[in-house]
């Protein structure tokens, strides 16, 4: 479990089913690390921290093409949660539609994933592992506002329109939908289908 508060940004490259990340955080073999929001297990440590990638991970994430990744070590029992609960079980990738600088903040628009429940104004979402609040939802995009600290200390500063970003819908929203589906509640409809 993670909080979506990024500790470091590191260079990375993927070769086959292995991801090599610049060794910039203290970890041990077997540790869970959020890499661009994906929960991965450390399998080797040297000049690079090495992770093995499964087929599903390669299919559902942007790790194959990411050159800079956000890193966060797993929470320990008793840690403060400064963001929101993030599992590291990425739901898929979405593309950046627009980046606008307003004053000292950045507003970024992302495409809304098809048939995805939980994209609501003031709701939480993890993007490349970053805990963010959805500021606005309109038509086929949602917007987040990124403050200068987050911009400067995450890989968002490298984003361009069209780039793929990993997303994870808020855990609470997923459970609410699952309960509604289980009990056949018609009050939950798929958003943006």
């Amino acid at each position: 479990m993670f909080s979506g508060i990024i500790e470091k940004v590191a260079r990375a490259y993927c070769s086959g089913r292995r991801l090599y990340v610049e060794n910039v955080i203290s970890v041990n073999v077997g540790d869970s690390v959020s890499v661009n929001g994906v929960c991965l297990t450390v399998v080797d440590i040297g000049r690079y921290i090495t992770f093995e990638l499964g087929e599903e991970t390669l299919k559902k994430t942007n790790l194959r093409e990411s050159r800079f990744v956000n890193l966060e070590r797993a929470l320990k029992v008793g840690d403060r949660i400064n963001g929101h609960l993030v599992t590291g079980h990425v739901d898929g990738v979405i593309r950046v539609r627009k980046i606008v600088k307003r004053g000292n903040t950045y507003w970024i628009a992302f495409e809304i994933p098809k048939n995805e429940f939980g994209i609501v104004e003031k709701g939480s979402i993890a993007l490349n592992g970053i805990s963010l609040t959805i500021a606005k939802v309109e038509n086929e995009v949602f917007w987040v506002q990124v403050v200068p600290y987050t911009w400067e200390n995450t890989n968002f500063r490298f984003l361009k329109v069209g780039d793929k970003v990993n997303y994870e819908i808020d855990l609470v929203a997923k459970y609410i939908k699952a309960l509604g589906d289980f009990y056949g509640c018609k009050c939950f409809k798929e958003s943006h289908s």
Side-chain angles (χ1 to χ4, degrees):
M1 195 65 78
F2 307 94
S3 69
I5 303 300
I6 305 307
E7 294 181 74
K8 294 281 185 181
V9 176
R11 291 183 183 275
Y13 72 93
C14 189
S15 179
R17 290 189 176 228
R18 288 204 157 204
L19 179 70
Y20 300 91
V21 176
E22 182 181 17
N23 192 345
V24 296
I25 58 172
S26 176
V27 293
N28 297 304
V29 170
D31 283 357
S32 292
V33 179
S34 171
V35 181
N36 261 11
V38 183
C39 181
L40 298 175
T41 302
V42 176
V43 297
D44 193 29
I45 302 168
R47 182 170 168 218
Y48 292 94
I49 301 169
T50 306
F51 303 92
E52 290 178 349
L53 304 176
E55 185 178 323
E56 184 75 359
T57 301
L58 287 168
K59 208 172 12 175
K60 280 198 145 184
T61 71
N62 66 4
L63 292 177
R64 191 175 295 183
E65 53 268 349
S66 294
R67 298 296 162 250
F68 293 93
V69 293
N70 294 322
L71 301 174
E72 178 190 358
R73 291 172 290 188
L75 292 170
K76 295 177 188 166
V77 174
D79 279 354
R80 293 175 71 141
I81 301 171
N82 291 311
H84 73 281
L85 290 177
V86 178
T87 64
H89 305 161
V90 168
D91 294 302
V93 294
I94 52 177
R95 291 193 184 272
V96 176
R97 287 282 194 78
K98 199 173 204 178
I99 302 172
V100 178
K101 186 172 184 192
R102 290 189 194 152
N104 66 347
T105 65
Y106 289 84
W107 285 77
I108 306 173
F110 296 91
E111 66 188 2
I112 294 177
K114 297 279 185 238
N115 299 319
E116 196 63 78
F117 181 85
I119 305 287
V120 296
E121 287 186 16
K122 308 302 179 250
S124 297
I125 192 165
L127 299 171
N128 274 357
I130 306 165
S131 173
L132 293 162
T133 301
I134 297 168
K136 188 174 170 187
V137 178
E138 58 185 21
N139 301 322
E140 297 178 2
V141 300
F142 70 91
W143 293 82
V144 296
Q145 182 181 14
V146 180
V147 297
Y149 182 87
T150 302
W151 183 263
E152 293 160 12
N153 291 283
T154 68
N155 66 2
F156 269 23
R157 68 183 182 265
F158 303 114
L159 282 183
K160 298 181 298 300
V161 172
D163 284 352
K164 291 179 186 174
V165 172
N166 296 327
Y167 76 93
E168 180 184 327
I169 298 296
D170 179 57
L171 191 58
V172 174
K174 285 181 185 179
Y175 280 114
I176 290 171
K177 181 171 185 321
L179 278 171
D181 290 348
F182 180 78
Y183 289 108
C185 179
K186 300 296 180 202
C187 55
F188 298 111
K189 63 178 178 143
E190 294 292 336
S191 60
H192 315 286
S193 46

